[in-house]
Amino acid sequence: MAPRSCGPGRELMRILVTGAGGFLGQRLTRHLRAAGHEPVATTRNREMAASGDVHHLADALDAGAYGRLIAAQDIEAVVNLVAAGVDPSDRDIPRLVRANSSFPAELAVAAKAAGVRSFVHAGSSAEYAPAVRASGMREDDAPTRDKIYGATKAAGSLLLEATAREIGLRCAIVRLFNIFGPGEKSYRLFPSLVDRLSRGEEVALSAGTQMRDFLFVDDACRAILEVLVALDAQPGVGGTYNLASGKGLAVRDFALAIAAEMAADPHLLKFGQLPMRPDDLPYVVADTSRLDDLIGPAATTRLADAIAATLAETKRCEAP
């Protein structure tokens, strides 16, 4: 396929986005299209595929089916967002092992055979063992060994990186921290707070002292595209990168910021009414030095602006 211009020194790419029916996948597909690229989105959600420009795959873990699609569509790059266990209630261990551990490498092999040049895989902050310092988790920190979701994701990242090196595929793993924005599942913190506060209801919360690394979803999408472009254009780029803001924020302060932007009564936030969960780590914040060196800071949207944009879009989507 002939190169297509995307501004000075850049080319358009036809990009496969797997797991495009999820929160990040839907947003990334829109972002890629707005940037002039050609996303080829896939989902196992038949309704979503029927209602939009999305390819339906009955088996989201069939690497061979993706390979055939890549060849048929002349796809040059892949962003893999397929994962299992993101929802804490999903603990089907065989599926987690297959989706998180073996599938990324299988997809990479199929993609390379079909002519793909660059491959970005979404990892997770859950891959890390609990932090032993307050200076940010680094890409070479020890992986978790006691949580099935994080362990299967870490195993998948390790196997994918080795596979990509073996087959000569340019590959980057971006470990996502606390991504938020329009379209999140209702069980997550932001939409659950908005739902209760908008009705003037009290919200039972833990003390909220946990430090997290929040990043607006649109900033995450921009960063993923920049990593993909760098992979395609710069020799030697690849490996693992923390995709986050690099700044810690207490969950309490995040909740208060949402309430302030909604003009909701902050006293509705009942901090301390719920106990801390045993698996709720006190500190999950990234060291983003490696990503910053490659593309610059991922976080370009002020927290208040990101919250306001999320609330405004959520309101528009809910309007009759």
Side-chain angles (χ1 to χ4, degrees):
M1 185 167 59
R4 292 152 288 160
S5 175
C6 186
R10 296 178 67 168
E11 293 179 1
L12 292 175
M13 290 186 285
R14 185 165 291 158
I15 304 166
L16 175 68
V17 181
T18 70
F23 161 52
L24 180 57
Q26 293 184 58
R27 202 75 181 179
L28 179 62
T29 300
R30 289 169 53 184
H31 181 81
L32 294 174
R33 189 173 290 116
H37 297 280
E38 296 183 28
V40 177
T42 63
T43 180
R44 61 177 180 163
N45 186 319
R46 192 178 295 275
E47 285 186 16
M48 181 174 293
S51 64
D53 187 20
V54 182
H55 293 264
H56 175 255
L57 290 180
D59 182 359
L61 303 179
D62 184 350
Y66 289 106
R68 292 187 291 274
L69 179 62
I70 289 167
Q73 295 282 337
D74 288 326
I75 288 166
E76 300 140 296
V78 172
V79 179
N80 178 43
L81 302 178
V82 168
V86 178
D87 184 334
S89 67
D90 178 9
R91 287 299 178 265
D92 180 340
I93 292 178
R95 177 170 170 74
L96 264 67
V97 170
R98 186 178 174 212
N100 299 340
S101 300
S102 61
F103 173 73
E106 293 170 8
L107 179 60
V109 171
K112 175 65 175 179
V116 161
R117 300 195 306 258
S118 305
F119 191 105
V120 172
H121 169 68
S124 170
S125 62
E127 297 178 35
Y128 292 113
V132 295
R133 61 184 181 280
S135 57
M137 295 171 162
R138 295 194 295 259
E139 289 84 353
D140 58 357
D141 282 350
T144 184
R145 297 174 182 273
D146 59 357
K147 294 183 180 179
I148 189 62
Y149 172 68
T152 56
K153 288 289 290 183
S157 293
L158 182 65
L159 182 58
L160 171 60
E161 192 167 357
T163 298
R165 190 174 293 112
E166 180 73 18
I167 64 178
L169 177 65
R170 296 182 180 182
C171 176
I173 297 155
V174 290
R175 286 184 175 147
L176 309 174
F177 280 64
N178 290 79
I179 310 297
F180 74 94
E184 287 186 79
K185 296 291 187 182
S186 59
Y187 65 83
R188 289 170 61 90
L189 178 61
F190 197 118
S192 62
L193 285 175
V194 172
D195 178 59
R196 301 293 295 276
L197 292 175
S198 64
R199 297 200 300 260
E201 297 177 0
E202 294 183 351
V203 187
L205 297 162
S206 69
T209 56
Q210 313 95 307
M211 298 298 291
R212 294 293 181 264
D213 195 326
F214 295 97
L215 182 68
F216 186 39
V217 65
D218 287 354
D219 287 348
C221 291
R222 280 189 288 270
I224 289 171
L225 176 55
E226 288 301 317
V227 169
L228 196 57
V229 169
L231 264 180
D232 198 56
Q234 301 177 32
V237 170
T240 302
Y241 301 88
N242 286 332
L243 179 47
S245 71
K247 298 176 181 177
L249 182 70
V251 169
R252 177 189 183 95
D253 293 333
F254 184 64
L256 286 169
I258 294 171
E261 197 61 43
M262 294 178 66
D265 182 355
H267 294 99
L268 292 172
L269 300 173
K270 299 301 180 181
F271 296 107
Q273 280 197 356
L274 297 180
M276 291 283 195
R277 298 195 314 270
D279 63 345
D280 207 355
L281 301 177
Y283 190 87
V284 183
V285 179
D287 179 330
T288 59
S289 301
R290 192 162 191 267
L291 184 67
D292 294 349
D293 288 344
L294 180 66
I295 64 168
T300 59
T301 307
R302 292 175 57 250
L303 179 64
D305 294 339
I307 291 173
T310 302
L311 292 172
E313 186 167 333
T314 302
K315 187 174 182 178
R316 288 196 300 272
C317 292
E318 292 175 348

